[in-house]
Amino acid sequence: MSQNQILQSLIAENLVSDPSGARGRLLTEAARLFREKGYERTTVRDLAAAVGIQSGSLFHHFRTKEEILKAVMVETIRLNTALMQAALEAADTNREKLRGLVRAELESINGQTGEAMAVLVFEWRSLSAASQVEVLELRDIYEKLWLDVLESLKREGALEADPFVVRRMLTGALSWTVTWYKPERGGLTLDGLTDQVMAMMAL
Amino acid sequence: MSQNQILQSLIAENLVSDPSGARGRLLTEAARLFREKGYERTTVRDLAAAVGIQSGSLFHHFRTKEEILKAVMVETIRLNTALMQAALEAADTNREKLRGLVRAELESINGQTGEAMAVLVFEWRSLSAASQVEVLELRDIYEKLWLDVLESLKREGALEADPFVVRRMLTGALSWTVTWYKPERGGLTLDGLTDQVMAMMAL
DNA sequence: TTACAAACCAAGCGCTTGCTTGGTATTGTC
DNA sequence: GACAATACCAAGCAAGCGCTTGGTTTGTAA
């Protein structure tokens, strides 16, 4: 399944919003603005202006500003979980599975969904405690995909360090690429970057 | 030189504020609050209350709220540069030097200066463009310490990946530990964590 | 055409924000 | 003990914030 096919099936199941619809367009713009200026510095007037409506009209679609942030995060995790599962299915060996996950996560972080992914990392604290719990449950499913592969690699002897620690390190390292990786300059492609990550781990 | 001796000499040179003085106490509390609630959610009234003065009185010490954020960041980088230099001097081989840097940065991130380090990572966007330029200059000095060691390791053949990319990955991985590493539970010490990082890189 | 809900606008309320102001203690210096 | 300089307080201003309100337009289906 291609990336686009996965997105389409999630839209069909009503798990993520269609980016061409009103709600989806707002969420896309919200992710862009939250990423660019941060959640707190982005006003409901900014959000409304970005989609061409009045600020008050936002509250017809979402009850609060925070609900918008939560929706961005929830839909992002749902999409990414599906993308990672597809990456796993396309690989045979555990080493290839890890490479697939790394490559897919790098693509999520630095591709079209990059803004939403950055929001997930950097605006976490702006979520209310209640919403954090909800989003954490989704994230656990996502993390399990990684841990299973890393644990298999450890059992094979290909990995020396603790799988749990390695996943945490990879989370940080891969997320951080959003602050410096620019494909257009430097000539480093996403595949090249993936190679570097694997080389760094001597895998 | 011990950590404390380094701090003392920086205070003597007026490069960082004495934590027991009025200014230093404010910066410590500011780092704590910025880390806990984020820069935007922290009000000048919060900051003032934390050191037991009126909100207006803050502006006797700092011209703007942002100047407080900048001061936290500048002093943190100055201290850390000194700490890294000390770590390098204490090591002989390049492998040991890298281990020293990793260990020192983990200590900065997860020790007493951890709050300020987290602010440096997560509140970057709240700095005005002008202040960002100033802080970036200091950071370049700091980053050069790392790159020199990584480049030597590459020349030795101990490292396969690109030094520049590896440093960026390490920045992300080590910074991220602040979100999950809790020395009290899990039984993983800072030295143990350092070992894990080195093991992950097969070094 | 009618009926009705969903989508939106124009206006603004109540509150919080960073910062200013004018004045009063406190401290250090000769 | 005189005199600044420094550190602080009490009060509040102007602007911006999230969100509400009452009413109008648009889309849909019988």
Side-chain angles (χ1 to χ4, degrees), chain A residues 35 40-41 123 125 168, chain B residues 40-41 123 125 180:
Chain A
R35 153 90 204 275
E40 312 287 347
R41 287 181 115 94
E123 307 300 332
R125 260 178 337 193
R168 294 275 157 122
Chain B
E40 312 287 347
R41 288 183 116 94
E123 306 301 331
R125 260 177 337 192
W180 62 271

Side-chain angles (χ1 to χ4, degrees), chain A residues 41-202:
Chain A
R41 287 181 115 94
T42 303
T43 69
V44 292
R45 286 165 181 81
D46 291 334
L47 292 169
V51 291
I53 58 174
Q54 291 295 106
S55 68
S57 308
L58 273 186
F59 295 90
H60 178 75
H61 301 278
F62 296 90
R63 280 200 318 249
T64 64
K65 182 188 170 191
E66 196 225 345
E67 202 171 283
I68 300 176
L69 177 61
K70 185 173 133 191
V72 168
M73 294 188 172
V74 166
E75 298 203 358
T76 303
I77 296 192
R78 284 187 186 146
L79 175 57
N80 269 277
T81 305
L83 289 174
M84 298 299 138
Q85 270 161 344
L88 286 178
E89 284 164 19
D92 291 328
T93 69
N94 284 314
R95 196 198 159 281
E96 275 172 16
K97 281 181 181 175
L98 180 61
R99 198 187 186 283
L101 288 178
V102 170
R103 164 73 218 232
E105 193 162 282
L106 281 173
E107 199 160 321
S108 288
I109 289 166
N110 297 286
Q112 286 188 7
T113 60
E115 268 133 6
M117 286 293 280
V119 169
L120 200 48
V121 173
F122 287 101
E123 307 300 332
W124 181 251
R125 260 178 337 193
S126 297
L127 263 196
S128 68
S131 301
Q132 285 190 2
V133 172
E134 248 178 280
V135 178
L136 268 183
E137 282 175 26
L138 290 175
R139 216 187 56 175
D140 284 345
I141 303 172
Y142 180 81
E143 291 300 318
K144 182 138 195 331
L145 298 178
W146 283 84
L147 282 177
D148 285 347
V149 174
L150 288 169
E151 273 158 12
S152 298
L153 279 169
K154 170 113 186 177
R155 247 177 275 117
E156 286 175 11
L159 188 72
E160 206 195 322
D162 177 59
F164 183 80
V165 173
V166 171
R167 169 52 188 157
R168 294 275 157 122
M169 295 285 174
L170 279 176
T171 303
L174 301 184
S175 302
W176 193 245
T177 59
V178 82
T179 68
W180 63 272
Y181 176 65
K182 300 279 182 300
E184 64 269 25
R185 68 155 185 253
L188 188 61
T189 64
L190 269 185
D191 275 316
L193 188 54
T194 308
D195 289 338
Q196 291 283 324
V197 174
M198 298 300 280
M200 196 181 76
M201 300 176 66

Side-chain angles (χ1 to χ4, degrees), chain A residues 168, chain B residues 110 176-183 188-191 193:
Chain A
R168 294 275 157 122
Chain B
N110 297 288
W176 193 246
T177 59
V178 80
T179 67
W180 62 271
Y181 176 64
K182 300 278 181 302
L188 187 60
T189 64
L190 268 184
D191 275 316
L193 189 54

Side-chain angles (χ1 to χ4, degrees), chain B residues 83-156:
Chain B
L83 290 174
M84 297 299 138
Q85 271 160 345
L88 285 179
E89 285 163 19
D92 292 328
T93 67
N94 284 315
R95 197 198 159 282
E96 276 171 15
K97 281 181 181 174
L98 180 62
R99 197 187 188 283
L101 287 177
V102 170
R103 165 72 219 230
E105 194 163 281
L106 280 172
E107 198 159 324
S108 288
I109 289 167
N110 297 288
Q112 285 187 7
T113 61
E115 268 133 8
M117 288 291 281
V119 169
L120 201 47
V121 173
F122 287 101
E123 306 301 331
W124 181 251
R125 260 177 337 192
S126 297
L127 262 196
S128 68
S131 301
Q132 285 189 3
V133 172
E134 249 179 280
V135 178
L136 267 183
E137 283 174 26
L138 290 175
R139 216 187 56 175
D140 284 345
I141 304 170
Y142 179 82
E143 291 299 320
K144 182 139 195 334
L145 299 178
W146 283 82
L147 281 177
D148 286 346
V149 174
L150 288 170
E151 272 158 12
S152 299
L153 279 169
K154 170 113 185 177
R155 245 178 276 115
E156 286 175 12

